[in-house]
Amino acid sequence: MKLDKNSHQPVLIVGGGPSGFATALMLAKRGWQNITVLEKRPCADYYEPDKSFNYLIDGRGQKFTDYLELTNNLASNGVATTDFYLTKITADGNSKTSKLPIVDPDRKAAYWITRKTFVNLLYQEIENNWQDCINVIFNAKCVEINKTISNDNQSEKLEIIAEIDNGKTIKFEPFLLVGCDGINSIVRNTLKQWNESSSNKFEMNYFPSPSSGLRYKALTLPPKFPLDENGEELTTSEMAYAVRSAFKDRKKAISLGLLPVKNPDEVRSANIITKSEHHIWELKNGEEMHDFLQKSFPQLPIHNIVSSQEAQRFAASEGGEFPIPQYCNGFYSKLNEEAFIVLLGDAIHSFPPDLGQGVNSALEDVCTLNDALEKSNNISEALPLYESLRLPDTKALIRLMQVGYPWQYNQAPIRKKLWSINFLVRLSLSKILPFIFSPPAFFMIQNHQLYYQEILTKVERTTRILYTVIIGFLLGLVAFGLRNIFI
């Protein structure tokens, strides 16, 4: 590995989530010595109920964990998809446990891991091995990014102002500013303001999706909570659960979805995903919410599972909303040879969780930046290379989000059935004639050896062939009908 030419220069990373910590670790491994990470949360393993979702770190994300030799640590803290069991519990109390089929037994095992566990895993790697070159500042929020004139009045430099504890501020003058601060990135928005008159490269491009706009929030449940009144049957941490509601009305029907966790003493999060007009968003106090949950799930001892405090918190929570698939065309900016800015993760692309690619694509961004630095150890050359390598894949990923698996939330039953028919047709044809038809995107995206561009090309090719077959069939019917009329 080449030592980067600018590795002695100061780096400031805004955002201490997966992409922020991963970028810090990648740069440290490349020999960068002066890296600071700003994170607004108070600690790495801070528990946020409405961000208590699970990641599925697949082969794409494991490109990074392999690079840092963290995959064994990931495996010991996660639940492998090779041993993934799901228990469905209907409103009448009947339950059925099944092992979910593995689509491709030859692909790498993916691992379910909670967000806070994964972020803390990366932070512990910093603490254990890279403290001498990575400084993480918690409770720190970037509030201002400015261009100032250097002391010699010859060039511009970056000045970043962050707020920390007790209203104090701290200033940074980094050589490299890294924006890993999410969908509402202050780094990207600042670049957008600076470039308003010349280009729109940092403007987000939006693409509609059937799952965009769905609302979600998470109900925090105790570890090993009971499934019956007697407490004889308890949940298992490494088991996934789907608990169905007694309500059939679409404005009241909900499901509790629990993904597996490795630690048996870790709290469980039940994800609830609905349209914005669902009844659950009208409930604003704990008593109403508790009553609704009891009526929704008579098969569970809700009074023993959901405390009054949790019911109140859950009722008051505004939750979140699935974003519309989006990306920007600009991944970096260069002020001069002494000031550079680069964006990764949700700061450059964001989308609903349909295909589980949020964290994996972010980690793959980091790997692509690493590849660019490896090919050119000069940051001035590496950043344009990073953009040229990653932008086409990002565009393809956003398109895949529109067609991959957007109807899985049952937001429109008829549309879901039509999509399911299309899914099964593609899957069946790919097994019968694999040299002509490709599997659905949902399956191919699990193959980390395929670029998103390659997957999209295969999907679109299959679509064109299907259209050709359907049109040919319809023309054949018309010709047959006309032949019978004139004979």
Side-chain angles (χ1 to χ4, degrees):
M1 181 177 67
K2 303 175 185 176
L3 181 65
D4 294 338
K5 177 182 176 181
N6 310 108
S7 59
H8 62 286
Q9 298 279 14
V11 178
L12 181 67
I13 299 175
V14 180
S19 59
F21 281 161
T23 303
L25 287 165
M26 180 272 289
L27 291 174
K29 185 167 181 177
R30 297 195 61 83
W32 293 69
Q33 295 295 316
N34 186 2
I35 304 166
T36 301
V37 181
L38 302 180
E39 171 52 42
K40 62 184 179 181
R41 294 171 302 144
C43 58
D45 60 350
Y46 181 65
Y47 180 73
E48 298 172 273
D50 283 324
K51 291 187 178 180
S52 57
F53 38 78
N54 286 38
Y55 291 143
L56 181 61
I57 310 294
D58 62 19
R60 297 178 196 279
Q62 288 174 49
K63 293 177 187 177
F64 171 78
T65 59
D66 287 346
Y67 174 70
L68 264 292
E69 300 180 356
L70 293 174
T71 305
N72 287 340
N73 201 353
L74 170 67
S76 63
N77 284 277
V79 178
T81 51
T82 49
D83 289 316
F84 186 32
Y85 288 84
L86 171 68
T87 295
K88 296 181 181 179
I89 307 175
T90 56
D92 58 9
N94 290 326
S95 64
K96 181 181 179 181
T97 299
S98 57
K99 184 174 182 179
L100 296 189
I102 300 173
V103 176
D104 182 0
D106 295 325
R107 71 179 175 89
K108 295 183 71 171
Y111 296 93
W112 291 106
I113 187 170
T114 63
R115 183 184 190 277
K116 77 179 188 71
T117 301
F118 183 67
V119 172
N120 194 50
L121 182 154
L122 298 179
Y123 178 67
Q124 290 305 313
E125 174 66 13
I126 293 173
E127 286 288 281
N128 294 336
N129 298 304
W130 305 98
Q131 273 195 56
D132 58 335
C133 51
I134 302 176
N135 177 36
V136 180
I137 306 176
F138 291 105
N139 286 316
K141 181 181 180 181
C142 176
V143 293
E144 199 172 326
I145 302 173
N146 300 309
K147 290 185 286 188
T148 61
I149 302 298
S150 61
N151 293 332
D152 58 8
N153 291 321
Q154 296 298 313
S155 60
E156 290 180 316
K157 63 180 181 179
L158 290 168
E159 179 188 74
I160 287 78
I161 300 174
E163 288 183 354
I164 55 175
D165 286 335
N166 303 319
K168 297 178 182 178
T169 61
I170 185 170
K171 292 184 181 180
F172 301 88
E173 294 182 353
F175 166 82
L176 175 62
L177 174 62
V178 184
C180 296
D181 49 339
I183 189 171
N184 297 312
S185 169
I186 186 175
V187 181
R188 189 195 68 249
N189 285 331
T190 299
L191 289 173
K192 184 172 68 173
Q193 293 171 6
W194 291 351
N195 284 268
E196 272 184 348
S197 59
S198 58
S199 73
N200 61 354
K201 65 183 293 188
F202 296 106
E203 287 274 2
M204 281 296 192
N205 301 286
Y206 298 95
F207 300 84
S209 165
S211 59
S212 298
L214 290 175
R215 297 182 67 181
Y216 67 89
K217 57 180 172 179
L219 182 66
T220 302
L221 304 176
K224 295 177 284 190
F225 64 83
L227 294 172
D228 56 32
E229 289 288 350
N230 300 324
E232 295 177 357
E233 185 179 0
L234 304 178
T235 55
T236 302
S237 65
E238 297 191 23
M239 175 78 69
Y241 292 88
V243 186
R244 305 308 186 195
S245 167
F247 288 117
K248 302 303 179 184
D249 179 359
R250 291 189 55 76
K251 288 193 175 183
K252 287 191 174 182
I254 57 174
S255 291
L256 299 180
L258 286 80
L259 291 169
V261 297
K262 186 72 171 183
N263 183 357
D265 296 319
E266 189 168 0
V267 297
R268 303 298 295 271
S269 294
N271 297 311
I272 296 176
I273 302 168
T274 73
K275 288 187 173 181
S276 58
E277 63 267 23
H278 194 280
H279 177 65
I280 201 168
W281 302 103
E282 300 171 2
L283 306 175
K284 298 302 181 183
N285 65 65
E287 187 176 345
E288 289 180 349
M289 183 61 72
H290 216 279
D291 180 65
F292 174 72
L293 292 173
Q294 285 183 315
K295 291 177 180 177
S296 294
F297 304 107
Q299 68 272 47
L300 298 180
I302 291 293
H303 57 285
N304 291 332
I305 298 175
V306 182
S307 67
S308 57
Q309 293 86 351
E310 173 57 17
Q312 178 60 43
R313 182 210 66 79
F314 184 68
S317 169
E318 292 298 320
E321 185 175 289
F322 287 176
I324 189 169
Q326 56 193 278
Y327 73 91
C328 66
N329 287 296
F331 289 12
Y332 81 98
S333 180
K334 173 184 174 181
L335 270 64
N336 49 62
E337 292 297 332
E338 297 298 323
F340 297 86
I341 302 172
V342 65
L343 303 171
L344 299 97
D346 286 353
I348 50 175
H349 49 65
S350 187
F351 35 80
D354 307 346
L355 298 176
Q357 290 303 295
V359 68
N360 291 298
S361 61
L363 294 175
E364 202 171 46
D365 292 342
V366 179
C367 290
T368 304
L369 178 57
N370 181 52
D371 291 342
L373 287 166
E374 189 65 21
K375 291 177 181 177
S376 176
N377 65 350
N378 186 335
I379 196 77
S380 184
E381 298 172 355
L383 294 187
L385 180 58
Y386 159 66
E387 182 179 276
S388 67
L389 290 172
R390 195 59 179 156
L391 181 56
D393 239 20
T394 297
K395 292 180 177 180
L397 174 59
I398 296 302
R399 175 56 184 154
L400 288 170
M401 285 298 159
Q402 295 181 282
V403 300
Y405 199 2
W407 297 105
Q408 60 186 283
Y409 312 100
N410 204 34
Q411 64 270 44
I414 295 176
R415 295 293 299 272
K416 180 180 180 180
K417 288 179 181 178
L418 292 173
W419 181 89
S420 297
I421 292 170
N422 176 48
F423 181 92
L424 291 173
V425 167
R426 289 172 184 259
L427 180 60
S428 300
L429 289 174
S430 69
K431 291 182 177 180
I432 298 170
L433 300 169
F435 49 91
I436 298 177
F437 297 97
S438 297
F442 178 75
F443 289 160
M444 286 192 289
I445 212 160
Q446 298 171 27
N447 182 354
H448 68 281
Q449 295 178 325
L450 291 175
Y451 289 108
Y452 295 128
Q453 300 170 72
E454 294 178 274
I455 296 171
L456 181 60
T457 298
K458 291 175 181 290
V459 168
E460 291 179 337
R461 177 176 177 272
T462 295
T463 299
R464 288 194 298 270
I465 294 172
L466 286 173
Y467 280 152
T468 301
V469 170
I470 291 171
I471 292 172
F473 177 74
L474 292 176
L475 289 175
L477 286 179
V478 171
F480 180 77
L482 291 174
R483 181 171 177 273
N484 287 338
I485 291 174
F486 291 107
I487 292 178

